Amino acid sequence: MPFTPSTTPESVRRVACVGAGVIGGGWVAHFLARGYDVTAWDPAEDAEDKLRRLVSAAWPALEQLGLADGASPDRLTVAPTLAAAVADADFVQESAPEKLELKRSLLAELDAATPPGVVIASSTSGYPMTDMQTTATAPSRLVVGHPFNPPYLIPLVEVVGGTHTDPAAVAWASRFYDLAGKSVITMDRELPGFIANRLQEALWREALHMVANGEATVEDIDASITEGPGLRWAFMGPCLTFALAGGEGGMAHMLDHFGPSLKSPWTRLEAPELDRALRDAMVDGCATAAGDRSYADLVAERDQGVINVLRATGRLPQPTPHPSHSPQPAHPTASARLPLPLRLSPIPLFRQVVQEDWIDYNGHLSEAYYVLVFGFATDALMDASGLGAGYRARTGRSLYTVEAHVRYLDEVPRGSQLAVRTTVLGVAAKKLRVLHEMYRCDPAGEPSGDPVATEELFTLHVDQRQGCAVPFPDATRDLLAAAVAPSPEWAGHGIRPVGA
Ligand SMILES: NC(=O)c1ccc[n+]([C@@H]2O[C@H](COP(=O)([O-])OP(=O)(O)OC[C@H]3O[C@@H](n4cnc5c(N)ncnc54)[C@H](O)[C@@H]3O)[C@@H](O)[C@H]2O)c1
């Protein structure tokens, strides 16, 4: 029976989550944060309490990620029966225990209870849908939507149908997950373990072999990943990473150079024959993945990525303020153009990699995106001064920009790493003036050369609920006041002096 959707992925309002343990609860939190109404059902007696605890515990992280308009834990309903949970659903996510017989009968029950034309997705970690859809009456709408724990933080979902699934249902589910903020991989064939779990499993089995044979300790194995390749995998996959190991010759050189070692017993997993077709598939695949990025671009991206991961995980100290914050400016030409108050500030340097879709038809950073990057730097300043996402959500208070003066000083080519150094120019009870200076980074991730742009910003601390400016919290005002770089030199460069 072909699948005829009852609604478009764009029109989904209510999601039913059936099975509300670790994964089902994680899905509930994710869908709530994306602004959906969620109905959950789980047969366990204490399921509702556990689920609400999971959602509450996840909510601060979800706030940091950014909530959709109207998103609220209050939009969760726990249904008394499976039938009640799915009766009004526009999409169903099944996350019951990983037991084949249970999945088979549960999917058949869900199929019978869910309105026709509604896609039902299973979170299964490894069963092919073909094996699970055997007893359903309308198997064409059953798909796998395999998440990673926790589904509200890890973006990936792998989507695939079974023999009796209509490809239209797979396409519908992929589009829906995409709209719901997931990173979707749509597979065109069933593969036990899908993609990511096969890769994880290969590594896991080799780790078990090494421990079983006394070849490495558990500690060695974990350190070999967290101190080694794992640092790169968060932002660049293993294929592109290996292509860089081939230097400017890329994947072709890498395979020609290291290909023969595929015959060596480096792992218990047998390597495929590296014939011409496989070599070309790898080389072409890496070229596609690299897109317009040159070897130098990719190296710069990798280097900055590793530095970012090392910093984010506390293994590298935050950068010390650049010498240009000392009384002797390190960039005389920049300071000649605009004398600035140069003094040590505790405000951290904000870093940003230029995104591909920020590039205009001239191959450089588009005008509006300079301002976007400065906006991110202002967010970082808020985070650093106690006005972060948690404060904003709790109080409804935030910084509002009322005046900005941007100078575009130089082009920013694609692939650039940017750093924004922020100097506090002045702070009063409700007002704050800052100067952002944007630099391109050297390969070590440090700002280099003259600023490519500056933004002078006058902001007010506003209470949205009261609709007016209000005083900063004392701690924030003290912190910002301590960072102020008092100097008459900046006066007259685009920002009015701010009164007390
Ligand atoms: N845990 C992971 O890391 C992970 C990752 C990806 C996918 N998955 C998959 O997600 C699914 C759920 O795994 P989990 O880790 O959340 O397990 P879990 O044990 O934490 O949760 C399972 C929940 O299902 C409920 N349940 C039991 N019988 C049920 C039924 N007949 N109908 C509906 N619910 C029922 C249980 O009460 C429990 O709350 C499995 O298919 C698993 O393979 C798990």
Side-chain angles (χ1 to χ4, degrees):
M1 189 198 314
F3 167 70
T4 309
S6 58
T7 186
T8 60
E10 288 77 7
S11 315
V12 171
R13 293 284 167 271
R14 181 172 294 279
V15 175
C17 291
V18 172
V22 172
I23 291 299
W27 274 121
V28 168
H30 176 76
F31 289 128
L32 287 170
R34 305 306 299 184
Y36 295 99
D37 293 313
V38 179
T39 310
W41 178 75
D42 188 297
E45 252 179 34
D46 57 348
E48 177 162 0
D49 281 353
K50 271 172 135 174
L51 172 59
R52 293 198 186 274
R53 275 204 304 276
L54 188 155
V55 171
S56 299
W59 209 255
L62 291 164
E63 283 177 340
Q64 285 191 54
L65 289 180
L67 299 174
D69 283 350
S72 165
D74 297 342
R75 291 172 67 181
L76 167 63
T77 310
V78 176
T81 62
L82 176 150
V86 299
D88 298 323
D90 301 312
F91 175 74
V92 178
Q93 183 78 42
E94 171 274 310
S95 310
E98 188 79 347
K99 292 181 191 147
L100 185 56
E101 275 316 313
L102 187 153
K103 295 275 194 201
R104 271 189 189 140
S105 60
L106 179 59
L107 286 174
E109 202 182 335
L110 283 172
D111 176 38
T114 305
V118 171
V119 171
I120 301 169
S122 172
S123 297
T124 181
S125 296
Y127 295 130
M129 182 45 83
T130 300
D131 292 351
M132 296 191 294
Q133 64 189 172
T134 49
T135 48
T137 311
S140 61
R141 56 158 152 179
L142 301 182
V143 304
V144 167
H146 173 235
F148 286 78
N149 191 39
Y152 56 86
L153 279 183
I154 309 288
L156 181 60
V157 60
E158 295 168 312
V159 184
V160 63
T163 310
H164 299 292
T165 305
D166 190 327
V170 174
W172 191 102
S174 294
R175 173 74 183 139
F176 166 68
Y177 283 128
D178 184 38
L179 292 166
K182 303 298 289 180
S183 294
V184 183
I185 294 180
T186 307
M187 298 174 67
D188 64 1
R189 69 199 66 191
E190 290 186 290
L191 198 59
F194 316 113
I195 297 172
N197 272 351
R198 283 180 86 87
L199 293 169
Q200 286 201 125
E201 190 66 16
L203 201 134
W204 177 232
R205 290 185 189 185
E206 190 60 37
L208 293 178
H209 275 304
M210 287 199 277
V211 172
N213 290 301
E215 294 160 355
T217 64
V218 165
E219 215 178 342
D220 292 339
I221 288 168
D222 277 0
S224 77
I225 296 300
T226 59
E227 299 300 307
L231 289 170
R232 304 179 299 208
W233 289 343
F235 55 89
M236 190 175 278
C239 300
L240 214 46
T241 297
F242 270 11
L244 294 188
E248 297 197 8
M251 180 52 77
H253 177 68
M254 156 73 190
L255 288 176
D256 295 341
H257 188 187
F258 294 108
S261 63
L262 287 172
K263 304 278 183 206
S264 308
W266 280 20
T267 166
R268 275 98 177 163
L269 187 67
E270 209 176 303
E273 194 56 36
L274 184 60
D275 56 13
R276 188 81 212 170
L278 177 55
R279 181 186 182 279
D280 290 351
M282 291 304 298
V283 172
D284 295 349
C286 284
T288 305
D292 290 341
R293 293 172 293 176
S294 68
Y295 171 72
D297 292 339
L298 289 167
V299 167
E301 214 172 282
R302 180 201 57 199
D303 291 357
Q304 186 59 49
V306 172
I307 288 168
N308 291 347
V309 172
L310 287 169
R311 283 209 173 106
T313 52
R315 282 177 283 178
L316 195 65
Q318 294 302 319
T320 48
H322 194 276
S324 70
H325 279 274
S326 70
Q328 292 304 314
H331 306 306
T333 46
S335 55
R337 278 201 294 260
L338 175 63
L340 299 172
L342 299 167
R343 216 184 85 162
L344 280 177
S345 150
I347 307 301
L349 203 63
F350 168 76
R351 290 186 162 74
Q352 174 69 49
V353 178
V354 171
Q355 307 293 302
E356 184 55 31
D357 56 357
W358 297 356
I359 298 297
D360 66 14
Y361 41 82
N362 296 323
H364 297 107
L365 184 63
S366 196
E367 183 186 326
Y369 292 101
Y370 286 77
V371 177
L372 181 75
V373 173
F374 283 133
F376 291 157
T378 304
D379 290 348
L381 172 67
M382 285 198 280
D383 291 345
S385 54
L387 307 178
Y391 170 83
R392 297 196 293 271
R394 204 171 53 250
T395 62
R397 295 177 175 189
S398 170
L399 283 185
Y400 275 37
T401 300
V402 291
E403 187 174 337
H405 172 205
V406 179
R407 296 187 310 147
Y408 298 91
L409 302 173
D410 208 344
E411 293 167 335
V412 175
R414 61 164 33 88
S416 298
Q417 321 288 318
L418 295 175
V420 178
R421 179 178 298 124
T422 300
T423 306
V424 178
L425 297 178
V427 62
K430 309 170 186 177
K431 305 168 186 174
L432 174 68
R433 281 181 308 118
V434 298
L435 172 73
H436 292 311
E437 295 167 283
M438 184 189 296
Y439 295 88
R440 293 185 64 194
C441 293
D442 62 21
E446 294 307 320
S448 105
D450 292 343
V452 293
T454 65
E455 181 182 60
E456 291 164 297
L457 207 58
F458 174 31
T459 66
L460 290 177
H461 180 241
V462 169
D463 185 317
Q464 268 180 294
R465 295 166 194 158
Q466 296 180 41
C468 62
V470 293
F472 286 111
D474 290 349
T476 297
R477 197 202 48 237
D478 291 350
L479 192 149
L480 292 169
V484 169
S487 164
E489 291 156 10
W490 52 264
H493 285 280
I495 298 282
R496 297 190 298 262
V498 178

